Amino acid sequence: MWPLRLTWALAALGIAASSGPGPDPTTLPPDEEASIFADLTPAELRAVRTFLMSRPELGLSPSRGEPLAKNTLFLVELLPPKKRQALRYLDQGGPRPRRQARAVVFFGGQAEPNVTEFAVGPLPRPSSYRPLRFKGGRGVPFAARPITQLEYQLLHRALAAAMEPLYRLLRDTTGFWYHNCSQRCLTFSDVAPRGLAPGERRSWLVLQRFVEGFFLHPVGLEVLVDHRDPDPRRWAVRRLWYNGRYFSSPRELAESYERGTLAVARLPELPARQLYSSYEPRGHFTTGTPTAVHGAKVCEPQGRRYRLRGNRLEYGGWSAAFRLRSSAGLQLFDLRFNGERVAYEVSVQEAIAFYGGHTPAGMQTKYVDAGWGMGAAAYELARGIDCPEAATYLDAHHLYDADGPVRFGSAVCVFELPTGVPLRRHFDSDFQGGFHFYAGLEGRALVLRTTSTVYNYDYIWDFLFYPNGVMEAKVHATGFIHATFYTPQGRRYGSRVHSHVLGNLHTHLVHYKVDLDVAGTGNSFETMDVRFENISSPWSPGAR
C-alpha cells in the first residue's frame, strides 16, 4: 500500500535454514561474535521455561486452559547484552557477555495482579532471575497486559451468551448470527486501547460476517465488553452501538427491533464466489496483453553472492548480525561496511496506527502493534510471492503466549534483488551525434525480509544493503484495511469503499531505533535547514 523508507549513506538466530537451487549459503559455522545477538534457540527457550516453572515462589501455571486468574509465563526472548559489555568483547578482546533471557510473567493469581519482567540466566543453564526495573520503578498494571488466546476464548464465550437476545435481529438483517452458531457465523475484531482511563479493560468488539476477508464485512453492531475482572463470570456488556444509535443492553436493542422502532441495516446476501473481500483474482485488463503466463523472476545465474554464518549476514562490503525479536520484529546489530562499524543497532521497535471514525470502534482505535507481538506474528513466507524462489528461507522459534517454543517455518528470507536502476551511469556525449564513452554499474541490493501479520495488517519489513555503502530500512503495509460500518456521518472520517463499508482515515507511525557509530561511539545528532540569501552579483553590481 505504501513504503516507508529510511536511508543512510555512509545473524545464530535460533534458526534453521532452507534455500533454493545453488550452493547453500548457511553451511558455514556460526560466527562467534554475532552469536551474542542471536535469538534464543528452542533448547534455551525450554530451559528458561523449565527453570521458572520450577520456582515455587513464582507459582506459575501453564498458559493454556482456565482460569484466567493465575500466574503464567507469557513471553521469553533474548535480553541483549549491554552495549558497553558487547563492545568490550567485540573490539577489545574482553570477556564474552553472559547470555540472558527476558521473561514476561503475568501475575494474575495474587492479591495485587501485575505484569513483571525478569532477566533470567546464565544460558544455556539458567540458575537465577531478577526483576527488570524501569525508570520510575513502577510495574505494569495487570489491566494493561497484552491479550492472550485464553482471554479471546473467554471473550467469545461471553459475547455468544450476550448475543442470544439479538438472534432474530442478526439473522433477519445479515443472514448470520453469533449465538449457538455452527454455520453462517458472525465473528468479531477487537480494538485498543481497552478503555479511557488507567485501570480499565473495556474493549469495543466489531461484529462481522465470518467469510474470507471478514475485516471488510461489518454488520453495523459494535459491543463494549468490560472484561477487567479476573473472573469471566463477572464480565458484562456495558454499551452497544447499532447503525448510528447507542443502547445500554442487548435486551434494549432487541426490544427496539421487536417494536419496529429500530432503523435496521439489511445487508445483501453474499455471492458464493468472487466475494469483494476475497483474494481470488477477478476482472480483466483491456489491453489484451498476456496475464496467464509467468512474469519476470529473480535468478542467480552463477550462484549466491552472499553468505550466512549463523546470524551473521555478509554481502560485498556489508556485515551485520540479525535477530527476529518476538515482541518487536527484525533487528540488526554490529553493522559494518568494509570492516568498519557504522551502526551498533538498527532495529524495528514499534508500529502504531491512529484512526478516526463515527462508530465507537472507529474513533477509539489506536493500535500499538508490539502489544500483539509483531515478531511472533511472522508466519511462513510464500516462495515466489513473498520472496523469490531462489531466496534462502530461515525458520524462527518463539515462546509467546504458549507453553513451549513454537517453530515458525520460513519466517525470514534473504535474497539479492536487481533494482532495475543503474547504481550509477554516464553517457559522455561529444555533442556531435557521437560519444566519448559510456559507463554504468548494474543496480542490485541484498534484501533481508520478514513479515508481521497483526490482525488485518500485513507489514513487510525489509533491510536492504547496496554495494555503494547505502543501507535502507523499508516497510510496506498490505493485507486488509481496518474498516467500520458505513453511515452518512462516517464520511467525515473516511471513504465509502463498499455499500456498507467505510475505510477509516488513519495514520501509521513506524519507529526504528538507530544507534549510529560512525567513526566511533562519540556521535551527536543535529538537524540542519536551508535558507535563501538575496545578494548582489559580484560581477554585475546591482543584479541580485
PDB file of all heavy atoms in Angstrom, residues 422-431 435-441:
ATOM      1  N   PRO A 422      20.293   1.612 -12.696  1.00  0.00           N
ATOM      2  CA  PRO A 422      21.752   1.542 -12.542  1.00  0.00           C
ATOM      3  C   PRO A 422      22.197   2.174 -11.227  1.00  0.00           C
ATOM      4  O   PRO A 422      21.649   3.191 -10.797  1.00  0.00           O
ATOM      5  CB  PRO A 422      22.288   2.327 -13.738  1.00  0.00           C
ATOM      6  CG  PRO A 422      21.182   2.330 -14.728  1.00  0.00           C
ATOM      7  CD  PRO A 422      19.912   2.318 -13.929  1.00  0.00           C
ATOM      8  N   LEU A 423      23.194   1.563 -10.609  1.00  0.00           N
ATOM      9  CA  LEU A 423      23.774   2.158  -9.420  1.00  0.00           C
ATOM     10  C   LEU A 423      24.366   3.518  -9.760  1.00  0.00           C
ATOM     11  O   LEU A 423      24.250   4.481  -9.001  1.00  0.00           O
ATOM     12  CB  LEU A 423      24.836   1.224  -8.837  1.00  0.00           C
ATOM     13  CG  LEU A 423      25.490   1.657  -7.533  1.00  0.00           C
ATOM     14  CD1 LEU A 423      24.467   1.665  -6.411  1.00  0.00           C
ATOM     15  CD2 LEU A 423      26.649   0.719  -7.191  1.00  0.00           C
ATOM     16  N   ARG A 424      25.020   3.605 -10.912  1.00  0.00           N
ATOM     17  CA  ARG A 424      25.470   4.878 -11.482  1.00  0.00           C
ATOM     18  C   ARG A 424      25.695   4.659 -12.969  1.00  0.00           C
ATOM     19  O   ARG A 424      25.937   3.540 -13.407  1.00  0.00           O
ATOM     20  CB  ARG A 424      26.740   5.387 -10.798  1.00  0.00           C
ATOM     21  CG  ARG A 424      27.915   4.436 -10.869  1.00  0.00           C
ATOM     22  CD  ARG A 424      29.140   4.970 -10.168  1.00  0.00           C
ATOM     23  NE  ARG A 424      29.616   6.200 -10.765  1.00  0.00           N
ATOM     24  CZ  ARG A 424      30.829   6.725 -10.511  1.00  0.00           C
ATOM     25  NH1 ARG A 424      31.642   6.119  -9.671  1.00  0.00           N
ATOM     26  NH2 ARG A 424      31.207   7.847 -11.081  1.00  0.00           N
ATOM     27  N   ARG A 425      25.580   5.706 -13.729  1.00  0.00           N
ATOM     28  CA  ARG A 425      25.838   5.609 -15.170  1.00  0.00           C
ATOM     29  C   ARG A 425      26.108   6.991 -15.735  1.00  0.00           C
ATOM     30  O   ARG A 425      25.709   8.019 -15.150  1.00  0.00           O
ATOM     31  CB  ARG A 425      24.656   4.960 -15.885  1.00  0.00           C
ATOM     32  CG  ARG A 425      23.307   5.634 -15.687  1.00  0.00           C
ATOM     33  CD  ARG A 425      22.906   6.572 -16.785  1.00  0.00           C
ATOM     34  NE  ARG A 425      22.687   5.897 -18.032  1.00  0.00           N
ATOM     35  CZ  ARG A 425      22.578   6.499 -19.217  1.00  0.00           C
ATOM     36  NH1 ARG A 425      22.651   7.837 -19.282  1.00  0.00           N
ATOM     37  NH2 ARG A 425      22.371   5.836 -20.326  1.00  0.00           N
ATOM     38  N   HIS A 426      26.807   7.030 -16.880  1.00  0.00           N
ATOM     39  CA  HIS A 426      27.028   8.304 -17.572  1.00  0.00           C
ATOM     40  C   HIS A 426      27.268   8.032 -19.043  1.00  0.00           C
ATOM     41  O   HIS A 426      28.051   7.151 -19.419  1.00  0.00           O
ATOM     42  CB  HIS A 426      28.222   9.062 -16.996  1.00  0.00           C
ATOM     43  CG  HIS A 426      28.459  10.371 -17.700  1.00  0.00           C
ATOM     44  ND1 HIS A 426      27.562  11.414 -17.622  1.00  0.00           N
ATOM     45  CD2 HIS A 426      29.473  10.795 -18.505  1.00  0.00           C
ATOM     46  CE1 HIS A 426      28.008  12.436 -18.348  1.00  0.00           C
ATOM     47  NE2 HIS A 426      29.171  12.086 -18.888  1.00  0.00           N
ATOM     48  N   PHE A 427      26.580   8.802 -19.876  1.00  0.00           N
ATOM     49  CA  PHE A 427      26.805   8.812 -21.319  1.00  0.00           C
ATOM     50  C   PHE A 427      27.542  10.109 -21.640  1.00  0.00           C
ATOM     51  O   PHE A 427      26.990  11.200 -21.476  1.00  0.00           O
ATOM     52  CB  PHE A 427      25.467   8.747 -22.057  1.00  0.00           C
ATOM     53  CG  PHE A 427      25.598   8.773 -23.551  1.00  0.00           C
ATOM     54  CD1 PHE A 427      25.788   7.603 -24.260  1.00  0.00           C
ATOM     55  CD2 PHE A 427      25.525   9.974 -24.252  1.00  0.00           C
ATOM     56  CE1 PHE A 427      25.906   7.630 -25.645  1.00  0.00           C
ATOM     57  CE2 PHE A 427      25.643  10.006 -25.621  1.00  0.00           C
ATOM     58  CZ  PHE A 427      25.836   8.829 -26.329  1.00  0.00           C
ATOM     59  N   ASP A 428      28.793   9.993 -22.050  1.00  0.00           N
ATOM     60  CA  ASP A 428      29.629  11.175 -22.280  1.00  0.00           C
ATOM     61  C   ASP A 428      29.538  11.577 -23.747  1.00  0.00           C
ATOM     62  O   ASP A 428      30.227  11.032 -24.617  1.00  0.00           O
ATOM     63  CB  ASP A 428      31.079  10.880 -21.892  1.00  0.00           C
ATOM     64  CG  ASP A 428      31.868  12.154 -21.638  1.00  0.00           C
ATOM     65  OD1 ASP A 428      31.608  12.809 -20.609  1.00  0.00           O
ATOM     66  OD2 ASP A 428      32.728  12.494 -22.476  1.00  0.00           O
ATOM     67  N   SER A 429      28.652  12.531 -24.026  1.00  0.00           N
ATOM     68  CA  SER A 429      28.373  12.929 -25.397  1.00  0.00           C
ATOM     69  C   SER A 429      29.497  13.805 -25.955  1.00  0.00           C
ATOM     70  O   SER A 429      30.135  14.573 -25.229  1.00  0.00           O
ATOM     71  CB  SER A 429      27.049  13.697 -25.444  1.00  0.00           C
ATOM     72  OG  SER A 429      26.828  14.218 -26.737  1.00  0.00           O
ATOM     73  N   ASP A 430      29.742  13.679 -27.288  1.00  0.00           N
ATOM     74  CA  ASP A 430      30.651  14.624 -27.941  1.00  0.00           C
ATOM     75  C   ASP A 430      29.885  15.785 -28.570  1.00  0.00           C
ATOM     76  O   ASP A 430      30.465  16.646 -29.227  1.00  0.00           O
ATOM     77  CB  ASP A 430      31.503  13.917 -29.000  1.00  0.00           C
ATOM     78  CG  ASP A 430      30.670  13.362 -30.147  1.00  0.00           C
ATOM     79  OD1 ASP A 430      29.423  13.565 -30.163  1.00  0.00           O
ATOM     80  OD2 ASP A 430      31.235  12.703 -31.038  1.00  0.00           O
ATOM     81  N   PHE A 431      28.552  15.789 -28.366  1.00  0.00           N
ATOM     82  CA  PHE A 431      27.661  16.857 -28.844  1.00  0.00           C
ATOM     83  C   PHE A 431      27.691  17.017 -30.362  1.00  0.00           C
ATOM     84  O   PHE A 431      27.356  18.065 -30.899  1.00  0.00           O
ATOM     85  CB  PHE A 431      27.983  18.184 -28.161  1.00  0.00           C
ATOM     86  CG  PHE A 431      27.874  18.114 -26.661  1.00  0.00           C
ATOM     87  CD1 PHE A 431      29.009  18.019 -25.872  1.00  0.00           C
ATOM     88  CD2 PHE A 431      26.633  18.095 -26.048  1.00  0.00           C
ATOM     89  CE1 PHE A 431      28.904  17.928 -24.499  1.00  0.00           C
ATOM     90  CE2 PHE A 431      26.526  18.003 -24.670  1.00  0.00           C
ATOM     91  CZ  PHE A 431      27.667  17.916 -23.885  1.00  0.00           C
ATOM     92  N   PHE A 435      29.782   9.907 -29.056  1.00  0.00           N
ATOM     93  CA  PHE A 435      30.083   9.961 -27.632  1.00  0.00           C
ATOM     94  C   PHE A 435      31.540   9.564 -27.410  1.00  0.00           C
ATOM     95  O   PHE A 435      32.164   8.879 -28.224  1.00  0.00           O
ATOM     96  CB  PHE A 435      29.152   9.030 -26.849  1.00  0.00           C
ATOM     97  CG  PHE A 435      29.302   7.570 -27.158  1.00  0.00           C
ATOM     98  CD1 PHE A 435      30.088   6.756 -26.356  1.00  0.00           C
ATOM     99  CD2 PHE A 435      28.667   6.997 -28.258  1.00  0.00           C
ATOM    100  CE1 PHE A 435      30.229   5.415 -26.639  1.00  0.00           C
ATOM    101  CE2 PHE A 435      28.801   5.659 -28.540  1.00  0.00           C
ATOM    102  CZ  PHE A 435      29.591   4.858 -27.739  1.00  0.00           C
ATOM    103  N   HIS A 436      32.046  10.033 -26.266  1.00  0.00           N
ATOM    104  CA  HIS A 436      33.400   9.666 -25.876  1.00  0.00           C
ATOM    105  C   HIS A 436      33.423   8.316 -25.173  1.00  0.00           C
ATOM    106  O   HIS A 436      34.303   7.495 -25.421  1.00  0.00           O
ATOM    107  CB  HIS A 436      34.004  10.735 -24.967  1.00  0.00           C
ATOM    108  CG  HIS A 436      34.124  12.066 -25.636  1.00  0.00           C
ATOM    109  ND1 HIS A 436      33.564  13.215 -25.109  1.00  0.00           N
ATOM    110  CD2 HIS A 436      34.723  12.438 -26.795  1.00  0.00           C
ATOM    111  CE1 HIS A 436      33.824  14.228 -25.907  1.00  0.00           C
ATOM    112  NE2 HIS A 436      34.527  13.787 -26.934  1.00  0.00           N
ATOM    113  N   PHE A 437      32.473   8.096 -24.277  1.00  0.00           N
ATOM    114  CA  PHE A 437      32.383   6.801 -23.602  1.00  0.00           C
ATOM    115  C   PHE A 437      31.015   6.696 -22.931  1.00  0.00           C
ATOM    116  O   PHE A 437      30.319   7.675 -22.730  1.00  0.00           O
ATOM    117  CB  PHE A 437      33.506   6.618 -22.559  1.00  0.00           C
ATOM    118  CG  PHE A 437      33.359   7.491 -21.341  1.00  0.00           C
ATOM    119  CD1 PHE A 437      32.625   7.059 -20.225  1.00  0.00           C
ATOM    120  CD2 PHE A 437      33.954   8.751 -21.284  1.00  0.00           C
ATOM    121  CE1 PHE A 437      32.498   7.866 -19.109  1.00  0.00           C
ATOM    122  CE2 PHE A 437      33.815   9.558 -20.161  1.00  0.00           C
ATOM    123  CZ  PHE A 437      33.094   9.111 -19.075  1.00  0.00           C
ATOM    124  N   TYR A 438      30.674   5.454 -22.600  1.00  0.00           N
ATOM    125  CA  TYR A 438      29.548   5.171 -21.719  1.00  0.00           C
ATOM    126  C   TYR A 438      30.059   4.274 -20.596  1.00  0.00           C
ATOM    127  O   TYR A 438      30.849   3.347 -20.841  1.00  0.00           O
ATOM    128  CB  TYR A 438      28.405   4.456 -22.438  1.00  0.00           C
ATOM    129  CG  TYR A 438      27.399   3.872 -21.457  1.00  0.00           C
ATOM    130  CD1 TYR A 438      26.400   4.672 -20.926  1.00  0.00           C
ATOM    131  CD2 TYR A 438      27.495   2.551 -21.016  1.00  0.00           C
ATOM    132  CE1 TYR A 438      25.507   4.171 -19.979  1.00  0.00           C
ATOM    133  CE2 TYR A 438      26.608   2.044 -20.077  1.00  0.00           C
ATOM    134  CZ  TYR A 438      25.625   2.862 -19.561  1.00  0.00           C
ATOM    135  OH  TYR A 438      24.758   2.368 -18.621  1.00  0.00           O
ATOM    136  N   ALA A 439      29.609   4.551 -19.384  1.00  0.00           N
ATOM    137  CA  ALA A 439      29.949   3.684 -18.255  1.00  0.00           C
ATOM    138  C   ALA A 439      28.738   3.552 -17.357  1.00  0.00           C
ATOM    139  O   ALA A 439      27.983   4.514 -17.168  1.00  0.00           O
ATOM    140  CB  ALA A 439      31.140   4.246 -17.477  1.00  0.00           C
ATOM    141  N   GLY A 440      28.561   2.367 -16.797  1.00  0.00           N
ATOM    142  CA  GLY A 440      27.447   2.153 -15.883  1.00  0.00           C
ATOM    143  C   GLY A 440      27.671   0.926 -15.027  1.00  0.00           C
ATOM    144  O   GLY A 440      28.457   0.045 -15.380  1.00  0.00           O
ATOM    145  N   LEU A 441      27.001   0.902 -13.882  1.00  0.00           N
ATOM    146  CA  LEU A 441      27.063  -0.236 -12.976  1.00  0.00           C
ATOM    147  C   LEU A 441      25.650  -0.729 -12.720  1.00  0.00           C
ATOM    148  O   LEU A 441      24.751   0.070 -12.421  1.00  0.00           O
ATOM    149  CB  LEU A 441      27.721   0.153 -11.642  1.00  0.00           C
ATOM    150  CG  LEU A 441      29.210   0.507 -11.677  1.00  0.00           C
ATOM    151  CD1 LEU A 441      29.655   1.022 -10.312  1.00  0.00           C
ATOM    152  CD2 LEU A 441      30.030  -0.709 -12.073  1.00  0.00           C
TER     153      LEU A 441
END
